[in-house]
């Protein structure tokens, strides 16, 4: 039996496992097809390509993926690219651009936090991130470390989450740019966790329409920690816009008990699975 998980993170972005640790865990969970989709980096795939031993076997296939940050109507929207050519010029350009944006965004967030009376978090957050693609979770972790907040959760609810000072979305490229990168790399573009954005149903349909107009082919119908009924609602959007459906846990680490690798609600029968497009 095939078991797909088409959205997961490693330590190369804001996950905590290395690529090989993640693959070992996936095999343990009987995942047969795993897409590694770090935020704005493909370093996990580049590292895997350097291994002396093959990391794929009859137990597991690894799908090359990425999760790009984009903006739509001044809101951050994540677009997963699946089955991409990680050595393409488009992906190199995309990763370089997104890395620069992330560094600039860090300064912007740091500046906004100083206005709230905090010391400059730039260097500290970079140190937490180390070689990983810098993200808000690293900033949150540093804020906890320095006693600015009690927990990562509190850092997001008070300062970094949707609508707060540290939520800077205007820096990201638009949908058209991100889809061009994915398509130029031979990949399939997928709207990540569509139900998780804070928007009305009407607005979500407008996002879907714009994504379809830009050549988008799929959305995540099933993600980790998803409440009952959402998969059916997303499947209905697939019907309307002729999208394929993707599935993925959005696994980051073993500490988030509510998200397990390989675990998400069942893909509704009417949905054409995204892997038909690979
Ligand atoms: P960034 O990619 O830097 O914009 O950071 C977004 C990431 O922060 C998401 O991919 C999640 O992994 C994480 N995140 C978002 N909201 C929360 C939250 N409330 N608590 C903990 N982590 C969060
Ligand atoms: Mn993340
Ligand atoms: Mn995401
Ligand atoms: Mn993700």
């Amino acid at each position: 039996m095939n078991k797909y998980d088409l959205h997961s993170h490693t330590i190369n972005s804001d996950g905590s496992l290395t690529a090989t640790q993640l693959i070992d865990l996936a095999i343990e969970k009987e995942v047969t097809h795993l897409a590694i989709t770090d935020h704005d980096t493909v370093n996990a795939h580049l590292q895997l390509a350097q291994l002396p031993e093959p990391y794929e076997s009859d137990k597991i296939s690894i799908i090359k993926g990425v999760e790009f940050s984009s903006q739509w109507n001044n809101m951050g929207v994540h677009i997963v690219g699946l089955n991409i050519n990680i050595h393409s010029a488009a992906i190199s350009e995309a990763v370089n651009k997104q890395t620069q944006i992330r560094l600039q965004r860090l300064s912007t967030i740091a500046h906004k936090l100083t206005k709230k009376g905090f010391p400059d978090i730039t260097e500290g957050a970079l140190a937490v991130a180390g070689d990983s693609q810098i993200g808000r979770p690293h900033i949150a972790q540093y804020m906890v470390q320095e006693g600015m907040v009690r927990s990562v959760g509190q850092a997001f609810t008070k300062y970094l989450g949707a609508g707060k000072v540290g939520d800077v979305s205007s820096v990201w490229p638009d949908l058209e740019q991100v889809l061009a990168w994915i398509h130029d790399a031979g990949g399939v573009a997928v709207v990540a966790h569509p139900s998780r954005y804070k928007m009305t149903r009407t607005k979500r349909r407008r996002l879907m329409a714009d994504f379809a107009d830009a050549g988008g082919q799929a959305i995540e119908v099933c993600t980790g920690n998803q409440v009952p009924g959402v998969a059916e609602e997303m499947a209905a959007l697939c019907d309307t816009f002729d999208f394929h459906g993707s599935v993925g846990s959005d696994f980051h680490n073993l500490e988030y008990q509510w998200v397990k690798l390989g675990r998400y609600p069942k893909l509704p029968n009417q949905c054409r699975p995204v892997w038909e497009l690979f």
Side-chain angles (χ1 to χ4, degrees), residues 7 9 39 67 78 192-193 196-197 250 252:
H7 189 152
H9 295 273
H39 297 284
E67 181 175 15
H78 287 174
H193 40 68
R196 231 190 279 159
Y197 307 110
D250 201 4
H252 281 73

Side-chain angles (χ1 to χ4, degrees), residues 129-151:
D131 292 334
S132 314
Q133 183 64 286
I134 181 93
R136 281 178 284 171
H138 302 114
I139 301 175
Q141 229 177 298
Y142 180 67
M143 292 178 81
V144 175
Q145 200 178 299
E146 293 298 302
M148 300 175 189
V149 288
R150 281 200 310 277
S151 64

Side-chain angles (χ1 to χ4, degrees), residues 226-232 265:
Q226 185 171 275
V227 297
V230 170
E232 289 67 27

